Amino acid sequence: MPAQPLRVVVLISGHGSNLQIFIDSQSSGRLPIDIRAVISSRADAYGLVRAKQAGIEHETLLPQDFTSRECYDHALRDRVNRYRADLVILAGFMRILTPVFLAAYEGRVINIHPSLLPALRGLHTHERALREGLREHGCSVHYVTSALDAGPVIIQARVSVQPDDCGESLQRRVQYQEYRIYPRAVLWIAEGRIELRNHTVWRQGRRQDRPLVVTADDDLESL
Ligand code: GAR
């Protein structure tokens, strides 16, 4: 475990179930992070309630209060700067970040996306996986760039699509995998085992040209 916990700010827009996993992992001591703040792009995000219950600083930054995406990102950058974050975790933050924000936090912003990237970028991934008749679906943890859901992938978890799946059942199984791989990726970053260099993921001092892919049965402790 690193001597100092990793200072993180979590950005949300909604339910915050991934945020809750980070809160629980911090308080149980499983993850060496210090969640300095939660910032939401929506005032009614349930994740704000979770932050409040956990005694974590939380605030909203509403897009409608700004005239452009860049203005919003300026304000977001200034807010995140206040917390001196080592890492910015997007947990259901439903906005594309511009270079105004990303230039300040290059290589220090990660996201979870509910698909096996580069497949199914964008929204409604579970329904689209079903509509396209995919046999495999899943989720990806990736570094964030200003292109939508396109930054270098750290780890992915595969989920097989069952013949009787509906959007909700598939989402449930994919989210269960999100809760496994997202804290694991953050642990690796906290331990210095993963980093971004020149737009490429480096894992334990080696260039990782392809994402690490796990299935529901894999033991992540051994990775
Ligand atoms: C998560 O399933 C995450 O994969 C998805 O939003 C959900 C948020 O849930 N993110 C994206 O679609 C980003 N492109 P949560 O608020 O309960 O953590």
Side-chain angles (χ1 to χ4, degrees):
M1 285 274 177
Q4 291 294 325
L6 196 71
R7 290 187 304 258
V8 305
V9 169
V10 184
L11 306 187
I12 61 164
S13 301
H15 191 58
S17 62
N18 279 282
L19 165 66
Q20 189 67 54
I21 296 294
F22 285 112
I23 292 172
D24 295 345
S25 303
Q26 174 184 323
S27 54
S28 68
R30 284 193 305 276
L31 201 53
I33 57 171
D34 173 10
I35 305 174
R36 306 297 295 252
V38 171
I39 302 176
S40 173
S41 66
R42 292 186 54 140
D44 61 353
Y46 184 67
L48 289 168
V49 176
R50 297 178 190 273
K52 186 173 179 203
Q53 282 169 351
I56 295 169
E57 282 220 40
H58 51 284
E59 40 185 306
T60 50
L61 197 60
L62 302 176
Q64 54 268 37
D65 292 341
F66 297 88
T67 50
S68 70
R69 212 168 258 288
E70 284 74 18
C71 286
Y72 182 94
D73 280 6
H74 262 291
L76 182 63
R77 185 193 61 196
D78 292 348
R79 300 264 183 120
V80 174
N81 281 349
R82 277 193 225 150
Y83 299 105
R84 298 187 297 118
D86 301 313
L87 183 69
V88 179
I89 297 177
L90 310 191
F93 184 67
M94 305 308 271
R95 287 184 61 81
I96 297 173
L97 292 167
T98 68
V100 169
F101 184 85
L102 292 172
Y105 283 91
E106 203 182 336
R108 293 191 288 150
V109 187
I110 59 170
N111 182 41
I112 183 104
H113 181 74
S115 79
L116 296 173
L117 291 172
L120 304 177
R121 293 179 173 138
L123 299 174
H124 310 300
T125 58
H126 311 300
E127 292 75 12
R128 284 161 59 206
L130 292 174
R131 220 179 302 132
E132 291 180 20
L134 300 184
R135 311 256 302 266
E136 270 193 337
H137 185 41
C139 49
S140 309
V141 178
H142 65 97
Y143 282 102
V144 175
T145 63
S146 47
L148 177 66
D149 302 326
V153 175
I154 299 170
I155 181 170
Q156 299 183 311
R158 280 195 195 130
V159 168
S160 43
V161 180
Q162 303 299 324
D164 60 349
D165 261 328
C166 59
E168 290 73 23
S169 59
L170 194 51
Q171 177 179 17
R172 218 172 304 122
R173 292 207 310 290
V174 169
Q175 280 199 321
Y176 183 75
Q177 295 308 314
E178 293 183 5
Y179 307 151
R180 295 178 72 221
I181 67 171
Y182 211 4
R184 185 58 46 169
V186 171
L187 176 66
W188 291 337
I189 291 169
E191 291 178 341
R193 291 168 64 186
I194 285 273
E195 62 178 329
L196 189 71
R197 288 190 219 157
N198 296 326
H199 304 285
T200 307
V201 175
W202 284 69
R203 182 160 182 260
Q204 290 171 314
R206 288 193 176 174
R207 206 186 139 104
Q208 180 179 279
D209 288 316
R210 269 175 297 163
L212 191 63
V213 184
V214 297
T215 65
D217 301 327
D218 285 328
D219 171 18
L220 303 188
E221 298 280 336
S222 61
L223 295 174

